[in-house]
Amino acid sequence: MVYSTTPTIEGHPILEYKGVVTGETIIGANVFKDFFASIRDIIGGRSGSYEQVLREAKDTSMKEMGERAAAMGANAIVGIDIDYETVGQSGSMLMVTCSGTAVRL
């Protein structure tokens, strides 16, 4: 599967548009990550644990979207958009959604 945020893939004409595909992931950050992230807010620096959770959620959403595109007979996804939101009580959950257009190159 070829993934691209651009509407086309250079050197590969789009032969067929299969349709819109999405991938969604909702993942919780545990209490310890929240605690250490709040310390980082006070003293500064990056929160490696939250960055890890973001990467995991993004990778899972992209994989799910790719599986849906493959089931439609696509071999690429173009125009990918990735969105991050907090959901749940007090924003305790992270939602990552990916969308794009499944195509056959």
Side-chain angles (χ1 to χ4, degrees):
M1 187 66 59
V2 177
Y3 297 86
S4 178
T5 58
T6 60
T8 60
I9 297 175
E10 188 174 343
H12 296 88
I14 294 174
L15 303 175
E16 184 179 5
Y17 288 87
K18 297 291 191 173
V20 174
V21 286
T22 61
E24 304 83 15
T25 302
I26 298 178
I27 191 165
N30 69 32
V31 174
F32 297 111
K33 289 179 184 173
D34 290 342
F35 173 73
F36 289 117
S38 66
I39 291 173
R40 290 274 189 209
D41 284 344
I42 295 168
I43 62 172
R46 295 172 60 170
S47 174
S49 57
Y50 271 120
E51 289 173 0
Q52 174 76 26
V53 170
L54 281 170
R55 277 191 299 275
E56 180 184 335
K58 188 246 332 156
D59 291 346
T60 302
S61 294
M62 292 285 286
K63 181 180 178 204
E64 183 179 285
M65 182 175 62
E67 290 169 354
R68 290 179 177 161
M72 297 168 77
N75 62 359
I77 304 170
V78 295
I80 294 173
D81 180 51
I82 303 171
D83 291 311
Y84 298 87
E85 297 288 335
T86 54
V87 296
Q89 185 178 7
S90 304
S92 61
M93 304 287 280
L94 174 68
M95 177 176 67
V96 178
T97 59
C98 298
S99 61
T101 303
V103 298
R104 191 170 59 79
L105 301 176

